[in-house]
């Protein structure tokens, strides 16, 4: 049967403002009918997709027929800094890219073969990390600041917590028991997950979708994790894997995460 019509559109962006909302352009451009809710949210940065998916989950939990279209779009090029000579303020010129991604979240179990999503968890780093990633509006435009302490802080936050995150979202305790979708925040960020210090010890191949996304598109901020996740789910299906751990980070410092488990179908022999 055809999928049910979209009932909710959730639009996220953090690289500008637009009124009326971009969600109306989607409704008009796709000739969507009977959309019950439209929501635009901005300014949560690289973990924006996780915030959008949290709201999508809430709708699906309260409306049994909810079908939510989540769209993340960023024009990070508005952050290009042409005046500063400080590394922390010009690094974004080469790291970030422009892009958009989307996902559909629906209420119900969906049947065999559908990926089911755990609740989204969140860890907030101590207050002294608030300035590690910032965007401020100045007379010269948006000023992006990236601290060199971002990756070391990520290690400190994740080291005592990552095993509990796996148990909470996927009921597993070892990193090799699932595939990984990691936000491609930059080389230093992805290398955290390969470092002996953190203890997860993922291989380069384990994070190939994240590295490929970073190499081909840069850090797209909010859209990135959905782009990576699409590639991970495709690869997991080809390899017969049924668990994926998804993790991202952003200004705050804030870490958000969830698990996806593929429901068994009749062809799985379950």
């Amino acid at each position: 049967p055809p999928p049910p019509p979209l009932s909710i559109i959730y639009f996220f962006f953090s690289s500008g403002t637009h009124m009326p909302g971009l969600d109306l352009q989607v409704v008009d451009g796709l000739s969507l009918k009977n959309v019950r809710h439209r929501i635009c949210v901005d300014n949560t940065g690289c973990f924006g997709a996780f915030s959008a998916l949290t709201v999508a989950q809430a709708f699906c939990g309260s409306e049994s027929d909810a079908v939510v279209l989540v769209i993340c779009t960023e024009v990070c090029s508005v952050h290009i800094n042409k005046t500063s000579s400080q590394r922390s303020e010009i690094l974004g010129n080469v790291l970030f890219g422009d892009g958009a991604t989307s996902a559909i979240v629906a209420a119900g179990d969906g049947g065999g073969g559908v990926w089911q999503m755990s609740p989204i968890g969140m860890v907030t780093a101590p207050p002294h990390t608030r300035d590690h990633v910032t965007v401020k509006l100045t007379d010269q435009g948006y000023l992006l600041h990236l601290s060199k302490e971002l990756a070391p802080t990520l290690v400190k936050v994740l080291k005592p917590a990552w095993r509990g995150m796996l148990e909470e979202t996927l009921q597993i305790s070892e990193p090799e028991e699932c595939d990984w979708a990691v936000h491609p925040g930059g080389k230093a960020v992805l290398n955290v997950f390969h470092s002996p210090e953190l203890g997860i010890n993922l291989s380069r191949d384990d994070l190939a979708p994240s590295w490929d996304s970073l190499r081909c598109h840069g850090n797209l901020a909010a859209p990135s994790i959905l782009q990576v996740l699409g590639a991970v789910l495709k690869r997991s299906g080809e390899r017969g894997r049924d668990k994926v751990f998804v993790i991202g980070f952003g200004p705050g410092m804030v870490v958000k995460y969830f698990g996806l488990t593929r429901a068994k179908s009749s062809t799985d022999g379950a």
Side-chain angles (χ1 to χ4, degrees):
L6 292 169
S7 55
I8 301 153
I9 294 178
Y10 186 101
F11 210 108
F12 174 87
F13 56 98
S14 63
S15 51
T17 59
H18 192 286
M19 293 185 292
L22 294 173
D23 54 325
L24 275 175
Q25 292 193 15
V26 173
V27 170
D28 295 341
L30 298 179
S31 299
L32 299 176
K33 307 296 182 184
N34 303 316
V35 175
R36 295 199 297 266
H37 306 285
R38 291 181 291 102
I39 302 172
C40 277
V41 173
D42 62 5
N43 293 322
T44 61
C46 292
F47 63 81
F50 292 82
S51 300
L53 291 170
T54 299
V55 176
Q57 276 193 322
F59 273 115
C60 289
S62 62
E63 301 183 15
S64 61
D65 62 343
V67 181
V68 186
L69 172 62
V70 173
I71 302 173
C72 295
T73 185
E74 300 283 15
V75 184
C76 296
S77 53
V78 300
H79 297 152
I80 290 177
N81 191 315
K82 301 178 181 179
T83 59
S84 178
S85 59
Q86 297 185 36
R87 178 187 180 277
S88 60
E89 294 180 353
I90 62 176
L91 181 60
N93 292 359
V94 296
L95 176 60
F96 286 90
D98 299 340
T101 54
S102 63
I104 291 179
V105 182
D109 58 22
V114 172
W115 291 94
Q116 298 176 341
M117 186 177 174
S118 77
I120 295 177
M122 179 177 71
V123 175
T124 302
H128 72 270
T129 67
R130 300 292 182 261
D131 63 352
H132 284 6
V133 182
T134 61
V135 177
K136 297 179 180 179
L137 185 59
T138 72
D139 291 340
Q140 289 74 43
Y142 290 106
L143 178 61
L144 171 67
H145 171 86
L146 298 172
S147 170
K148 64 181 180 180
E149 296 301 318
L150 196 157
T153 296
L154 192 57
V155 172
K156 293 177 183 178
V157 171
L158 290 179
K159 189 172 183 177
W162 65 262
R163 197 176 298 275
M165 293 175 176
L166 292 179
E167 293 172 348
E168 173 190 345
T169 57
L170 294 172
Q171 294 75 56
I172 60 175
S173 58
E174 300 300 330
E176 62 269 18
E177 294 181 75
C178 65
D179 289 333
W180 287 69
V182 177
H183 170 63
K187 290 176 61 177
V189 166
L190 289 180
N191 280 329
V192 164
F193 292 84
H194 303 312
S195 69
E197 183 180 2
L198 184 58
I200 299 178
N201 296 322
L202 298 176
S203 70
R204 183 86 176 205
D205 182 66
D206 291 333
L207 294 187
S210 296
W211 282 108
D212 289 346
S213 179
L214 182 63
R215 183 181 68 255
C216 296
H217 309 290
N219 180 352
L220 303 177
S224 276
I225 193 61
L226 296 182
Q227 196 278 331
V228 171
L229 183 55
V232 171
L233 293 182
K234 180 180 179 181
R235 190 169 77 157
S236 297
E238 293 170 349
R239 297 180 174 185
R241 305 270 283 177
D242 60 4
K243 293 181 184 294
V244 174
F245 183 67
V246 189
I247 186 167
F249 2 84
M253 286 274 296
V254 174
V255 176
K256 293 197 175 186
Y257 59 93
F258 63 90
L260 289 171
T261 303
R262 189 169 67 90
K264 296 291 185 180
S265 66
S266 56
T267 58
D268 293 325

